[in-house]
mmCIF file of all heavy atoms in Angstrom:
data_model
loop_
_atom_site.group_PDB
_atom_site.id
_atom_site.type_symbol
_atom_site.label_atom_id
_atom_site.label_comp_id
_atom_site.label_asym_id
_atom_site.label_seq_id
_atom_site.Cartn_x
_atom_site.Cartn_y
_atom_site.Cartn_z
ATOM 1 N N ASP A 45 114.264 107.962 110.009
ATOM 2 C CA ASP A 45 113.692 106.938 110.846
ATOM 3 C C ASP A 45 114.109 107.027 112.264
ATOM 4 O O ASP A 45 113.288 106.805 113.124
ATOM 5 C CB ASP A 45 114.077 105.535 110.254
ATOM 6 C CG ASP A 45 113.235 104.440 110.826
ATOM 7 O OD1 ASP A 45 112.000 104.407 110.517
ATOM 8 O OD2 ASP A 45 113.769 103.583 111.584
ATOM 9 N N VAL A 46 115.367 107.470 112.535
ATOM 10 C CA VAL A 46 115.803 107.643 113.887
ATOM 11 C C VAL A 46 115.052 108.832 114.544
ATOM 12 O O VAL A 46 114.520 108.690 115.708
ATOM 13 C CB VAL A 46 117.294 107.922 113.982
ATOM 14 C CG1 VAL A 46 117.754 108.420 115.344
ATOM 15 C CG2 VAL A 46 118.155 106.696 113.513
ATOM 16 N N VAL A 47 114.824 109.847 113.784
ATOM 17 C CA VAL A 47 114.070 111.034 114.319
ATOM 18 C C VAL A 47 112.631 110.620 114.590
ATOM 19 O O VAL A 47 112.049 110.988 115.637
ATOM 20 C CB VAL A 47 114.154 112.202 113.299
ATOM 21 C CG1 VAL A 47 113.270 113.326 113.778
ATOM 22 C CG2 VAL A 47 115.606 112.648 113.145
ATOM 23 N N PHE A 48 112.089 109.828 113.688
ATOM 24 C CA PHE A 48 110.699 109.374 113.869
ATOM 25 C C PHE A 48 110.610 108.514 115.114
ATOM 26 O O PHE A 48 109.646 108.727 115.940
ATOM 27 C CB PHE A 48 110.300 108.562 112.601
ATOM 28 C CG PHE A 48 108.821 108.382 112.422
ATOM 29 C CD1 PHE A 48 107.905 108.816 113.262
ATOM 30 C CD2 PHE A 48 108.473 107.587 111.330
ATOM 31 C CE1 PHE A 48 106.531 108.642 113.052
ATOM 32 C CE2 PHE A 48 107.063 107.370 111.092
ATOM 33 C CZ PHE A 48 106.124 107.914 111.934
ATOM 34 N N ALA A 49 111.520 107.614 115.322
ATOM 35 C CA ALA A 49 111.481 106.767 116.465
ATOM 36 C C ALA A 49 111.689 107.481 117.771
ATOM 37 O O ALA A 49 111.140 107.148 118.826
ATOM 38 C CB ALA A 49 112.573 105.624 116.358
ATOM 39 N N ARG A 50 112.400 108.581 117.687
ATOM 40 C CA ARG A 50 112.605 109.411 118.943
ATOM 41 C C ARG A 50 111.334 110.125 119.328
ATOM 42 O O ARG A 50 111.224 110.657 120.377
ATOM 43 C CB ARG A 50 113.710 110.450 118.654
ATOM 44 C CG ARG A 50 115.109 109.893 118.563
ATOM 45 C CD ARG A 50 116.099 111.055 118.172
ATOM 46 N NE ARG A 50 117.484 110.587 118.136
ATOM 47 C CZ ARG A 50 118.514 111.315 117.664
ATOM 48 N NH1 ARG A 50 118.303 112.578 117.222
ATOM 49 N NH2 ARG A 50 119.743 110.834 117.661
ATOM 50 N N GLY A 51 110.403 110.231 118.369
ATOM 51 C CA GLY A 51 109.137 110.907 118.662
ATOM 52 C C GLY A 51 109.020 112.365 118.205
ATOM 53 O O GLY A 51 108.075 113.008 118.460
ATOM 54 N N ASP A 52 110.063 112.759 117.445
ATOM 55 C CA ASP A 52 110.061 114.207 116.934
ATOM 56 C C ASP A 52 109.363 114.092 115.573
ATOM 57 O O ASP A 52 110.010 114.231 114.503
ATOM 58 C CB ASP A 52 111.458 114.735 116.882
ATOM 59 C CG ASP A 52 111.491 116.250 116.621
ATOM 60 O OD1 ASP A 52 110.422 116.804 116.249
ATOM 61 O OD2 ASP A 52 112.548 116.815 116.781
ATOM 62 N N LEU A 53 108.056 113.981 115.527
ATOM 63 C CA LEU A 53 107.348 113.741 114.287
ATOM 64 C C LEU A 53 107.393 114.919 113.418
ATOM 65 O O LEU A 53 107.447 114.779 112.137
ATOM 66 C CB LEU A 53 105.907 113.358 114.594
ATOM 67 C CG LEU A 53 105.601 111.839 114.786
ATOM 68 C CD1 LEU A 53 106.496 111.264 115.925
ATOM 69 C CD2 LEU A 53 104.153 111.548 114.998
ATOM 70 N N ALA A 54 107.326 116.158 113.970
ATOM 71 C CA ALA A 54 107.378 117.348 113.114
ATOM 72 C C ALA A 54 108.637 117.447 112.341
ATOM 73 O O ALA A 54 108.663 117.711 111.121
ATOM 74 C CB ALA A 54 107.106 118.576 113.962
ATOM 75 N N ALA A 55 109.772 117.136 113.006
ATOM 76 C CA ALA A 55 111.063 117.233 112.349
ATOM 77 C C ALA A 55 111.168 116.128 111.295
ATOM 78 O O ALA A 55 111.701 116.354 110.213
ATOM 79 C CB ALA A 55 112.188 117.186 113.315
ATOM 80 N N ALA A 56 110.689 114.921 111.620
ATOM 81 C CA ALA A 56 110.710 113.788 110.689
ATOM 82 C C ALA A 56 109.939 114.093 109.429
ATOM 83 O O ALA A 56 110.372 113.839 108.346
ATOM 84 C CB ALA A 56 110.217 112.542 111.368
ATOM 85 N N GLU A 57 108.729 114.683 109.663
ATOM 86 C CA GLU A 57 107.894 115.016 108.460
ATOM 87 C C GLU A 57 108.559 116.075 107.609
ATOM 88 O O GLU A 57 108.546 116.002 106.353
ATOM 89 C CB GLU A 57 106.557 115.501 108.950
ATOM 90 C CG GLU A 57 105.616 115.885 107.785
ATOM 91 C CD GLU A 57 104.245 116.391 108.210
ATOM 92 O OE1 GLU A 57 104.013 116.479 109.452
ATOM 93 O OE2 GLU A 57 103.411 116.650 107.320
ATOM 94 N N HIS A 58 109.143 117.068 108.233
ATOM 95 C CA HIS A 58 109.778 118.159 107.507
ATOM 96 C C HIS A 58 110.925 117.545 106.597
ATOM 97 O O HIS A 58 111.054 117.874 105.402
ATOM 98 C CB HIS A 58 110.379 119.239 108.454
ATOM 99 C CG HIS A 58 111.046 120.329 107.812
ATOM 100 N ND1 HIS A 58 110.419 121.355 107.053
ATOM 101 C CD2 HIS A 58 112.394 120.609 107.758
ATOM 102 C CE1 HIS A 58 111.294 122.191 106.607
ATOM 103 N NE2 HIS A 58 112.477 121.777 106.919
ATOM 104 N N ALA A 59 111.713 116.674 107.180
ATOM 105 C CA ALA A 59 112.855 116.098 106.444
ATOM 106 C C ALA A 59 112.328 115.144 105.348
ATOM 107 O O ALA A 59 112.839 115.092 104.289
ATOM 108 C CB ALA A 59 113.744 115.377 107.382
ATOM 109 N N ALA A 60 111.276 114.365 105.716
ATOM 110 C CA ALA A 60 110.709 113.481 104.708
ATOM 111 C C ALA A 60 110.186 114.197 103.492
ATOM 112 O O ALA A 60 110.380 113.796 102.353
ATOM 113 C CB ALA A 60 109.647 112.634 105.354
ATOM 114 N N ARG A 61 109.494 115.298 103.694
ATOM 115 C CA ARG A 61 108.963 116.078 102.593
ATOM 116 C C ARG A 61 110.078 116.640 101.727
ATOM 117 O O ARG A 61 109.951 116.770 100.478
ATOM 118 C CB ARG A 61 107.944 117.032 103.056
ATOM 119 C CG ARG A 61 106.766 116.410 103.691
ATOM 120 C CD ARG A 61 105.547 117.313 103.827
ATOM 121 N NE ARG A 61 104.413 116.767 104.571
ATOM 122 C CZ ARG A 61 103.532 115.909 104.040
ATOM 123 N NH1 ARG A 61 103.683 115.525 102.770
ATOM 124 N NH2 ARG A 61 102.541 115.383 104.726
ATOM 125 N N LEU A 62 111.157 117.172 102.403
ATOM 126 C CA LEU A 62 112.294 117.648 101.671
ATOM 127 C C LEU A 62 112.963 116.572 100.832
ATOM 128 O O LEU A 62 113.255 116.736 99.639
ATOM 129 C CB LEU A 62 113.323 118.249 102.619
ATOM 130 C CG LEU A 62 114.585 118.813 102.009
ATOM 131 C CD1 LEU A 62 114.259 119.948 101.019
ATOM 132 C CD2 LEU A 62 115.523 119.310 103.072
ATOM 133 N N LEU A 63 113.075 115.408 101.459
ATOM 134 C CA LEU A 63 113.683 114.265 100.670
ATOM 135 C C LEU A 63 112.827 113.874 99.519
ATOM 136 O O LEU A 63 113.286 113.609 98.423
ATOM 137 C CB LEU A 63 113.909 113.087 101.626
ATOM 138 C CG LEU A 63 114.509 111.841 101.021
ATOM 139 C CD1 LEU A 63 115.928 112.120 100.505
ATOM 140 C CD2 LEU A 63 114.569 110.718 102.056
ATOM 141 N N TYR A 64 111.520 113.869 99.722
ATOM 142 C CA TYR A 64 110.576 113.523 98.644
ATOM 143 C C TYR A 64 110.653 114.530 97.441
ATOM 144 O O TYR A 64 110.600 114.180 96.303
ATOM 145 C CB TYR A 64 109.213 113.478 99.241
ATOM 146 C CG TYR A 64 108.121 113.066 98.140
ATOM 147 C CD1 TYR A 64 108.189 111.901 97.469
ATOM 148 C CD2 TYR A 64 107.072 113.938 97.951
ATOM 149 C CE1 TYR A 64 107.213 111.519 96.528
ATOM 150 C CE2 TYR A 64 106.093 113.621 96.946
ATOM 151 C CZ TYR A 64 106.150 112.438 96.285
ATOM 152 O OH TYR A 64 105.232 112.125 95.328
ATOM 153 N N SER A 65 110.782 115.842 97.894
ATOM 154 C CA SER A 65 110.854 116.863 96.816
ATOM 155 C C SER A 65 112.065 116.701 95.954
ATOM 156 O O SER A 65 112.088 116.991 94.769
ATOM 157 C CB SER A 65 110.795 118.254 97.435
ATOM 158 O OG SER A 65 112.022 118.513 98.209
ATOM 159 N N LYS A 66 113.171 116.198 96.579
ATOM 160 C CA LYS A 66 114.415 116.002 95.814
ATOM 161 C C LYS A 66 114.420 114.637 95.086
ATOM 162 O O LYS A 66 115.026 114.521 94.013
ATOM 163 C CB LYS A 66 115.587 116.053 96.809
ATOM 164 C CG LYS A 66 115.837 117.418 97.414
ATOM 165 C CD LYS A 66 117.071 117.392 98.270
ATOM 166 C CE LYS A 66 117.451 118.825 98.787
ATOM 167 N NZ LYS A 66 118.656 118.754 99.555
#
Side-chain angles (χ1 to χ4, degrees):
D45 195 65
V46 170
V47 176
F48 198 1
R50 290 174 177 174
D52 195 345
L53 272 58
E57 179 179 4
H58 179 71
R61 295 198 184 280
L62 178 62
L63 181 61
Y64 179 60
S65 69
K66 292 183 175 181

